[in-house]
Amino acid sequence: MNASQFKRIATRYLLPKLPGMALKGRLIYASPVDQLLCGYYFETSAFNPSTFVVIAFVQPLYVPFSTVSFTFGRRLSGASGDRWWDLADGEQRVMSGVLSDIEAQGPPILAVGKDPLTFARTAPQLVSSPLTIEARESIGYSYLAAGEYDLGRGELEAFIAEIPSESMDIPWVREMRERAVWLLAHAETNPASVATRMSEWRDQTLRAIKIIK
Amino acid sequence: VRALGRSDLHTEVNYLNGRPVSGNTRGSVRLDVVEGPLDNPAAIYDLKTGSAQLTPERIQQIRSHLPIKAQNIPILEIRG
């Protein structure tokens, strides 16, 4: 399923039934976008281009990242795990099933992205327990974005403490830690600078994923 | 793998810098099978055919993109 084919079937079968959603590439997302990206990504198989799986996800944009990410998301599933669809089984039938899955499984996931405070409080239900280091980072940022500085500092302190020393050889891990250290220092002394920086990171992520706010 | 019907096995998963991402993400690693939750996988299975092998360099590349707590999980070759 190439991008133009997806655009055609999404426009025909999905967007009319999903008010408030917009289309970008293989992504259908809640529009307008503010601080969190909430949507459905259609992942095509590399082995069979007519086959795809739908991922419902929420992404806090103020955590800088270069692309859409599914840490806070799930592949929509059937009784036996991820549900892969094949357009060869009939476009209308397949897209009807896709829409049913989206309507049944998607809203509770996307509701987590209502705003940063909702995300901070409810995102743990979308990820493993105990929290991964990456999840703790996003929850910490979200408390800061919501103005809950004490809670944000607590999460980010735990995030930094959990990073194993051997992982610090990896550049992206070091960058994550350095960002958190900066936020911790400024959340204490200059919260306005934290809000400004996180707004810049949100715009940076939006540019990276080519969604105009 | 899909025919096994196991809800803890996920096929065709990409990771970049600790996060699951889409399959066409530049610089990401594409994994044939992931066992466990995608945000915190428990094992990786790489399907190989013919003379292809899972090399130490490939294993290191995969580990460098997995979520931090999962960077020491088993990465296993499966022969097809």
Side-chain angles (χ1 to χ4, degrees):
Chain A
M1 179 171 58
N2 59 35
S4 63
Q5 188 179 15
F6 176 66
K7 182 178 181 180
R8 182 183 63 77
I9 61 174
T11 302
R12 178 171 180 182
Y13 296 104
L14 300 179
L15 290 178
K17 303 291 177 63
L18 299 171
M21 305 293 279
L23 177 67
K24 174 71 182 175
R26 297 177 194 278
L27 172 68
I28 292 178
Y29 63 97
S31 180
V33 176
D34 189 13
Q35 301 200 70
L36 296 108
L37 179 65
C38 308
Y40 304 98
Y41 190 87
F42 292 72
E43 181 79 276
T44 303
S45 168
F47 300 108
N48 179 353
S50 70
T51 304
F52 64 94
V53 66
V54 184
I55 306 164
F57 73 101
V58 174
Q59 179 175 359
L61 296 166
Y62 37 78
V63 182
F65 202 63
S66 59
T67 186
V68 289
S69 68
F70 311 129
T71 295
F72 298 95
R74 288 186 188 142
R75 291 179 168 197
L76 302 187
S77 59
S80 56
D82 302 345
R83 197 191 315 267
W84 286 82
W85 298 92
D86 190 343
L87 286 173
D89 292 333
E91 183 178 290
Q92 189 168 5
R93 188 172 79 81
V94 165
M95 296 313 291
S96 174
V98 168
L99 183 62
S100 293
D101 273 1
I102 286 175
E103 290 174 338
Q105 301 175 45
I109 296 171
L110 271 56
V112 169
K114 179 185 173 205
D115 55 53
L117 187 57
T118 302
F119 180 87
R121 289 174 171 164
T122 61
Q125 72 192 39
L126 296 182
V127 292
S128 301
S129 178
L131 292 175
T132 65
I133 293 172
E134 291 80 6
R136 198 177 285 287
E137 176 197 39
S138 291
I139 291 169
Y141 277 53
S142 297
Y143 276 125
L144 295 181
E148 296 282 353
Y149 292 103
D150 288 344
L151 292 169
R153 281 199 300 268
E155 288 292 343
L156 290 182
E157 285 168 356
F159 157 77
I160 289 171
E162 287 185 11
I163 298 175
S165 56
E166 62 268 26
S167 294
M168 290 299 292
D169 292 337
I170 302 172
W172 62 264
V173 177
R174 281 201 305 276
E175 287 173 19
M176 285 172 77
R177 186 183 184 283
E178 286 164 7
R179 282 198 309 265
V181 168
W182 189 94
L183 286 172
L184 275 173
H186 289 76
E188 185 81 39
T189 59
N190 187 358
S193 68
V194 168
T196 300
R197 179 62 59 91
M198 294 180 74
S199 177
E200 292 168 354
W201 284 338
R202 179 200 58 192
D203 292 345
Q204 176 184 318
T205 306
L206 280 170
R207 282 195 301 274
I209 61 181
K210 298 181 173 61
I211 288 180
I212 306 301
K213 182 172 178 286
Chain B
V1 173
R2 292 174 199 157
L4 292 173
R6 282 179 52 178
S7 59
D8 63 335
L9 294 180
H10 308 280
T11 58
E12 300 191 61
V13 182
N14 283 59
Y15 286 93
L16 176 70
N17 296 354
R19 300 177 190 276
V21 296
S22 70
N24 56 6
T25 301
R26 188 177 301 171
S28 65
V29 291
R30 189 173 187 89
L31 309 177
D32 294 328
V33 183
V34 171
E35 182 177 356
L38 294 182
D39 69 301
N40 192 23
I44 304 295
Y45 301 98
D46 204 37
L47 307 181
K48 293 295 183 192
T49 57
S51 60
Q53 286 188 320
L54 181 60
T55 64
E57 291 77 18
R58 171 67 175 163
I59 291 174
Q60 185 55 36
Q61 181 195 28
I62 292 170
R63 291 198 190 287
S64 72
H65 284 289
L66 291 176
I68 296 169
K69 285 184 178 176
Q71 288 178 347
N72 291 315
I73 63 175
I75 299 176
L76 306 169
E77 179 179 299
I78 302 292
R79 289 257 139 217

